[in-house]
Amino acid sequence: SQTIHQWPATLVQPVGSPLSLECTVEGTSNPNLYWYRQAAGRGLQLLFYSVGIGQISSEVPQNLSASRPQDRQFILSSKKLLLSDSGFYLCAWSVILGDEQFFGPGTRLTVL
Amino acid sequence: GENVEQHPSTLSVQEGDSAVIKCTYSDSASNYFPWYKQELGKGPQLIIDIRSNVGEKKDQRIAVTLNKTAKHFSLHITETQPEDSAVYFCAASYSTLTFGKGTMLLVSP
């Protein structure tokens, strides 16, 4: 069966520090991968998605970037965090782009 | 792009009652409509979905209806239980999922 992992589970970072969140999927090959951000009391905002290694599509211009160095690994990064980057970051995968998606447990990021 | 509106934002019911959450979407090209349940501090979990060639789908106490002409779809939960308490999200997709803002469902014993 397929499993999706995210780490760390929680992170507290100062403004201006770098960020690296990691997501890995097990039990499937060539998944479509997604990064979402969820602000408190709001829905899920799609940040990036990837259909293959090295292929990244950005949905919202921002302070963040994404990379996919391996088939089942998706990384969310920032060079300098802003207060507004705080939120709950979710990784997801799907077999077909835009179809049935399965979410990871999320990373709670607090920028102080 | 796609826009999904979800109502109500909060819904309180007594155990055993039914709950209905409604969503509308704007892009007539959308053809996949999932519903997710999110418990506090966890990632969303897919509970049911429907595709544009189907008008209704049921899975035990949960059902979803889709009206493509009116561009709206609804989640129906019957015989609600306290463990149904969570935030529910609808979404619509043609190429990527666009989510509604969520409904907090509270089921009181």
Side-chain angles (χ1 to χ4, degrees):
Chain A
S1 63
Q2 300 85 9
T3 309
I4 180 168
H5 303 279
Q6 286 186 247
W7 64 88
T10 60
L11 189 61
V12 180
Q13 292 283 93
V15 169
S17 63
L19 174 73
S20 181
L21 303 182
E22 189 165 343
C23 170
T24 59
V25 181
E26 296 177 354
T28 187
S29 295
N30 197 31
N32 296 289
L33 296 172
Y34 311 82
W35 277 113
Y36 290 87
R37 176 168 57 201
Q38 185 175 31
R42 301 189 65 180
L44 287 77
Q45 180 186 36
L46 179 63
L47 302 175
F48 303 94
Y49 67 92
S50 171
V51 300
I53 296 173
Q55 301 178 66
I56 308 296
S57 296
S58 174
E59 289 292 296
V60 181
Q62 59 215 313
N63 185 42
L64 302 168
S65 62
S67 62
R68 184 170 177 174
Q70 300 181 45
D71 180 46
R72 290 171 288 178
Q73 184 184 31
F74 205 21
I75 297 172
L76 184 68
S77 304
S78 175
K79 292 182 179 178
K80 289 186 178 181
L81 283 169
L82 306 172
L83 286 174
S84 58
D85 291 323
S86 294
F88 193 46
Y89 288 83
L90 290 155
C91 181
W93 73 273
S94 71
V95 174
I96 301 171
L97 184 66
D99 207 81
E100 192 175 10
Q101 289 184 19
F102 302 94
F103 285 83
T107 295
R108 174 75 59 190
L109 171 66
T110 303
V111 182
L112 301 175
Chain B
E2 177 66 276
N3 182 49
V4 177
E5 299 286 340
Q6 182 172 347
H7 300 279
S9 56
T10 60
L11 179 59
S12 294
V13 301
Q14 291 290 119
E15 183 177 1
D17 289 349
S18 295
V20 180
I21 302 171
K22 298 182 179 182
C23 289
T24 60
Y25 62 99
S26 61
D27 189 347
S28 56
S30 289
N31 55 12
Y32 175 63
F33 307 91
W35 286 87
Y36 287 85
K37 175 183 180 181
Q38 186 177 27
E39 297 178 343
L40 191 63
K42 298 184 178 181
Q45 182 179 21
L46 180 68
I47 57 171
I48 195 167
D49 56 14
I50 192 167
R51 300 184 187 277
S52 58
N53 58 345
V54 177
E56 184 174 358
K57 184 176 179 180
K58 189 173 182 180
D59 182 4
Q60 299 183 341
R61 296 186 297 110
I62 295 174
V64 57
T65 59
L66 171 65
N67 183 327
K68 285 221 73 178
T69 303
K71 288 190 281 189
H72 67 70
F73 56 113
S74 300
L75 177 71
H76 304 253
I77 305 174
T78 58
E79 301 172 22
T80 54
Q81 301 167 3
E83 50 265 39
D84 293 328
S85 296
V87 179
Y88 291 80
F89 292 97
C90 65
S93 174
Y94 173 66
S95 59
T96 58
L97 283 178
T98 300
F99 285 82
K101 285 186 166 53
T103 296
M104 179 175 288
L105 174 64
L106 300 171
V107 181
S108 303

